[in-house]
Amino acid sequence: MVTEDYAVALNPEENMCFACSPRNPIGLKLSFEEEDGVVRAVFVVRPEHQGWPGHLHGGLIATLCDEAMAQWLWRRGVEAYTGELAVRFKKGVPVGAVLEVRAELVEVRRKMAILEATVLFLDGAVAATATGKFICATTPDVATQKETVKVK
């Protein structure tokens, strides 16, 4: 069950999340949609997102992945924290690129949810992939399963 304080904290209209809050003046302002168990958001790389000149900072790629996976859980009322995040960078992302980040559940192991995320260019080329292990604090139907459940 989602506590009232937790629900308010994660409401995009009430929080200051760097990744998803529309109120955070320096945030990414990601807006997610979901279809067929996959969450998605579009992100346009601006000059202030650079690491190496002309390219998106790798930490922001990791942030896109982490947020997409966390959004998948949040949409189901699961209070969870990133326990591990592994990112594979496949292609440099230039300033001006339009990206889509996607995430979906792969597996649930008792109080751990394993998700995967992909960052894609609009032509379908993969910029990065990630796997995240999230420690679940709430939602018995996802977080307290007795046996490993393979989803994907």
Side-chain angles (χ1 to χ4, degrees):
M1 180 161 106
V2 176
T3 66
E4 186 175 325
D5 289 342
Y6 182 71
V8 167
L10 288 182
N11 178 341
E13 301 302 320
E14 301 290 332
N15 78 70
M16 289 297 285
C17 176
F18 174 74
C20 72
S21 175
R23 295 180 54 223
N24 187 325
I26 64 165
L28 301 180
K29 297 175 178 50
L30 297 172
S31 178
F32 287 88
E33 296 179 356
E34 183 171 348
E35 185 178 331
D36 298 326
V38 178
V39 297
R40 293 178 168 82
V42 172
F43 179 70
V44 179
V45 181
R46 297 189 314 256
E48 60 268 29
H49 301 138
Q50 292 180 83
W52 285 102
H55 289 85
L56 178 60
H57 191 287
L60 289 180
I61 293 172
T63 299
L64 293 173
C65 293
D66 185 53
E67 182 65 18
M69 293 183 282
Q71 281 283 326
W72 192 97
L73 293 164
W74 174 74
R75 288 167 171 270
R76 286 152 179 84
V78 179
E79 182 177 350
Y81 307 92
T82 308
E84 182 177 299
L85 177 64
V87 182
R88 288 195 59 102
F89 300 95
K90 304 201 178 237
K91 219 172 195 186
V93 178
V95 169
V98 179
L99 302 172
E100 180 180 72
V101 59
R102 300 176 184 171
E104 63 187 310
L105 182 69
V106 174
E107 184 177 344
V108 175
R109 296 182 192 162
R110 299 190 66 187
K111 290 194 174 203
M112 180 172 57
I114 301 170
L115 293 99
E116 290 180 347
T118 306
V119 177
L120 303 136
F121 292 94
L122 292 184
D123 69 1
V126 176
T129 59
T131 301
K133 293 180 180 177
F134 289 78
I135 309 307
C136 303
T138 60
T139 308
D141 61 337
V142 172
T144 60
Q145 302 221 7
K146 299 277 187 228
E147 298 178 350
T148 299
V149 176
K150 298 269 187 196
V151 176
K152 188 174 175 185

